[in-house]
Every structure is written in C-alpha cells, then in structure tokens.
Amino acid sequence: RVWEGRHVSEACRAQRRQHGRSALRRSLAESEARHIDPSLLCELTWHFRFKRAAGEHWTGSDPYWQGARARTLRFEPDGAVRWEEEAWDGLMRWRLEGGSLLRVSHAQLGAFPAERLVRHPPSWGYLFTSPWAVYASFPLSRADDDASLTDRALGRSVEPWQWAEAARYNEAAAGESSSDEEDAPPPFPAGV
C-alpha cells in the first residue's frame, strides 16, 4: 500500500518478492534521492508546463493553462527531446549534468536556464523546475494539482543562480531581436 500511486523503481519491485522489508527501506531512500540516472530519465514519460513567470505568450498556448493535461515528451538517449503531438518535436536537445541539472536547448531559441531536480513527496516523482518551466515524471493537470505544485510552491525550489541564467537569457534574446522578426516569440518577461 505504501507504493500505491508512487514512483518506485523496478529494482525495488523485483526485490519485494524475496525481501519485502529491504525493498521498502530501499524505496524510501530512493524517494528522497536528488539525482536521476540518464537511463531512467529516458525511460520515463515527462509532463511539461510553463510557469506563469514565462509570460502570457507562452502560457496562452500551453494546454495546462487552458485546463487540459500538460504536454508530454520523452528524453531520448541520443539527446533529442521527443514531444508527443507537438510542433517542437525535433527542435530540442537535452543533457544532464551531475544527475540533478537538466539543460534543454532549442534550435532557434537557444539554451534555456537549467532545470533543477527536486522530488514530489506525495508521488515520489521527479520534478525539474526553473524560473519558467516544470517537467514532471507524473501527469500534471491544473484540476488535479496539489498545493505543492503551484508556481508559488515550486518557486521555492528555484535557486538564485537559475534566475541569473534567466536574466542572461533575456539579455541575449533582447540583443538578437530585430524589427524583421515580427513572428518570433518574445523573450521571457524581464525581472522574473
């Protein structure tokens, strides 16, 4: 019952058959781990949403903010980000640093501020969070979200250096924009 509705590794599930208590202790320890193995990152289906701080341009086209389920994606072993039913498919790449920082880049928009790994205590799931976005190893829906998944709560897990990266991203985006790029999405809001 402890594992019901929670992320539990296959290794723990296999161990449970012969050593139930050891498997439980291992799963409890794993539920607090602040790193993820690249192979596990690639095995999971991830759910993505923007935070309000990304700005109206981004939240306005985000299914999550329209009351639907968040977008889903997979991180491929070759570094590609594969979006399900999404125009962004094929345009993004990922790399994992130290098992706890996710770096995502877009072919046209550049490298985004790093996503920092935290855990979601109710589900034992993984969350990567930055000033502007959330990637979760479990489904996200505004109707279903608990208090720990609000932008305000998730904002507590964003570090000052991530905000500095966001500011540098905006500075670079502002320097590259021109009047010829009317269709280009705006940079993320300054000062967020």
Side-chain angles (χ1 to χ4, degrees):
R1 290 187 173 259
V2 173
W3 290 355
E4 189 173 329
R6 293 192 167 123
H7 173 82
V8 178
S9 72
E10 290 303 316
C12 287
R13 291 183 189 282
Q15 184 181 15
R16 179 181 181 188
R17 291 181 193 97
Q18 294 182 347
H19 307 286
R21 287 186 182 185
S22 296
L24 178 59
R25 280 192 298 274
R26 179 178 178 176
S27 71
L28 291 170
E30 286 181 4
S31 75
E32 296 179 5
R34 300 293 175 151
H35 64 278
I36 189 169
D37 186 80
S39 61
L40 179 57
L41 180 82
C42 295
E43 286 174 22
L44 299 171
T45 297
W46 291 84
H47 306 264
F48 172 88
R49 74 168 181 86
F50 283 107
K51 291 181 178 177
R52 225 180 265 284
E56 190 175 319
H57 175 85
W58 299 101
T59 58
S61 63
D62 187 339
Y64 172 89
W65 289 104
Q66 308 313 311
R69 289 257 178 223
R71 290 179 169 104
T72 56
L73 64 120
R74 306 273 310 210
F75 295 106
E76 299 292 333
D78 67 358
V81 178
R82 297 283 176 234
W83 295 85
E84 294 181 21
E85 303 175 23
E86 185 57 54
W88 296 339
D89 194 43
L91 294 174
M92 298 176 77
R93 309 279 305 158
W94 71 272
R95 77 177 193 273
L96 192 62
E97 296 178 359
S100 62
L101 288 181
L102 180 66
R103 299 259 179 204
V104 178
S105 61
H106 186 281
Q108 296 157 344
L109 301 175
F112 301 118
E115 304 283 339
R116 185 172 154 268
L117 182 68
V118 296
R119 297 303 291 268
H120 181 241
S123 71
W124 296 359
Y126 294 94
L127 286 166
F128 280 101
T129 185
S130 74
W132 301 324
V134 178
Y135 294 84
S137 66
F138 51 90
L140 294 173
S141 170
R142 286 186 75 190
D144 300 334
D145 281 352
D146 61 49
S148 69
L149 295 173
T150 64
D151 283 0
R152 173 174 267 190
L154 291 171
R156 292 184 203 114
S157 63
V158 176
E159 298 289 338
W161 60 264
Q162 289 177 284
W163 288 106
E165 283 189 8
R168 286 193 298 276
Y169 179 92
N170 279 341
E171 289 168 7
E176 293 173 8
S177 65
S178 72
S179 60
D180 297 335
E181 298 176 353
E182 290 179 20
D183 294 332
F188 291 94
V192 294

